[in-house]
Amino acid sequence: MYDVAKIRADFPILSREVNGKPLVYLDNGASAQKPRVVIEAITQAYEMEYANVHRGLHHLSNLATEKYEGVRAIVARFLGAPDSEEIVFTSGTTEGINLVSYAWAAPRMQPGDEIVLSVLEHHANIVPWHFLRERQGVVLKWVEPEPDGTLDPEKVIAAIGPRTKLVAVTQMSNVTGTLVDVAAICRGAREKGVPVLVDGSQGAVHRPVSVAEIGCDFYAITGHKLYGPTGSGAIWIAKERMAEMRPFLGGGDMIRDVYRDAVTYNDPPMKFEAGTPGIVQQIGMGVALEYLMGLGMGNVAAHEADLRDYALSRFKGLNWLNLQGTAPGKGAIFSFTLEGAAHAHDISTVLDKKGVAVRAGTHCAMPLLEFYGVTATCRASFGLYNTRAEVDSLVEALELCHELFA
Ligand code: PLP
């Protein structure tokens, strides 16, 4: 049974107050809180098990290396990946997507070649492709969602033309919570011989993932949204694609031999991991992923679906609340504006006074906000520890906003 009270007790920060009120943390889309097991693992790593990895022959270096390298297999298991050698450690999704842009895409794109993107994307899955547009004349082909935020896989597949070299698409919008049928997109793209990069930053947090079932080529995750430390993350890269990649960052660890006039590289995945990595961060992410697998991602998804349905039922009565994105089966992420003149920043300030933490602004998704004709929204994003009572607290605080600003 999914015991949310017991789960909440695993997260020390959830028992604190903010502005004299119990914290209602609804900013999980930006970053999630950390369970005690992760905090303790970080402390343990620094207090008793810390040294640099890979290069030492002493006890602590071997211990740190064993723990750090062990995380690759945990990530592979979490993502349903057949082989842990297909996991490249990164500092987060942003680095993962930039790696693909520099190491895989840049060398194979000619002027006029195309990348197909959706308007749902986070800037992390837009700007690395703009670099190729600016520097190499690559054309970005945008696919719009439906007004409710749904992304039709057929529209994405139809946008793939003879010059398309990559499809880059999110599995879940960080603004609307839209869940994208990335497996259908991958099937269509594969028929046309085009690789697919999936931004799993939000998708992997809220439901079970299997890259084998999705059938993508690249799948990026970011540890801090997965209840792990900041600066941790990974990207799963299909072996075939990894073999096509040139190194991105140069330095220690990614090389085999360095001479005055030549250099040879380490085998993948280390070929793509230059310099001292986020050792403790990745160890912490491994513990976070084990924690999630212990809860069962299917159970997390069911709990959050209940919160979504409950929130939608409570929002129904608020005819002054405009939701951006109401796609069926979406995640428990709600972007909204209020009728009247209240700016998102004012709304979030009032909510904060009530202890309710939400995000206000563009959510690093300016093309999507432009699609909805708004310059800023508030976003309440739920996580595995949130409750129906917290939905009620949000609604109460919104009613106060309406009174103040109407
Ligand atoms: N993609 C999506 C959908 C996101 O929500 C985020 C973070 O908000 C990112 C990418 C970037 O993640 P990070 O900043 O951890 O690299």
Side-chain angles (χ1 to χ4, degrees), residues 181-236:
D181 187 350
V182 284
I185 292 172
C186 290
R187 278 194 299 277
R190 194 160 295 275
E191 276 173 21
K192 298 187 178 190
V194 175
V196 180
L197 176 142
V198 175
D199 175 352
S201 302
Q202 299 288 341
V205 180
H206 302 291
R207 54 196 353 267
V209 168
S210 163
V211 292
E213 279 171 24
I214 293 171
C216 55
D217 297 78
F218 308 94
Y219 189 97
I221 58 169
T222 199
H224 68 97
K225 294 186 206 286
L226 286 156
Y227 306 91
T230 52
S232 65
I235 182 163
W236 172 81

Side-chain angles (χ1 to χ4, degrees), residues 72-106:
R72 257 184 244 281
I74 299 172
V75 177
R77 196 153 34 89
F78 183 75
L79 294 180
D83 188 343
S84 57
E85 288 187 0
E86 295 172 323
I87 304 297
V88 176
F89 286 136
T90 64
S91 60
T93 295
T94 302
E95 187 184 323
I97 297 176
N98 276 276
L99 169 68
V100 177
S101 171
Y102 278 86
W104 183 84

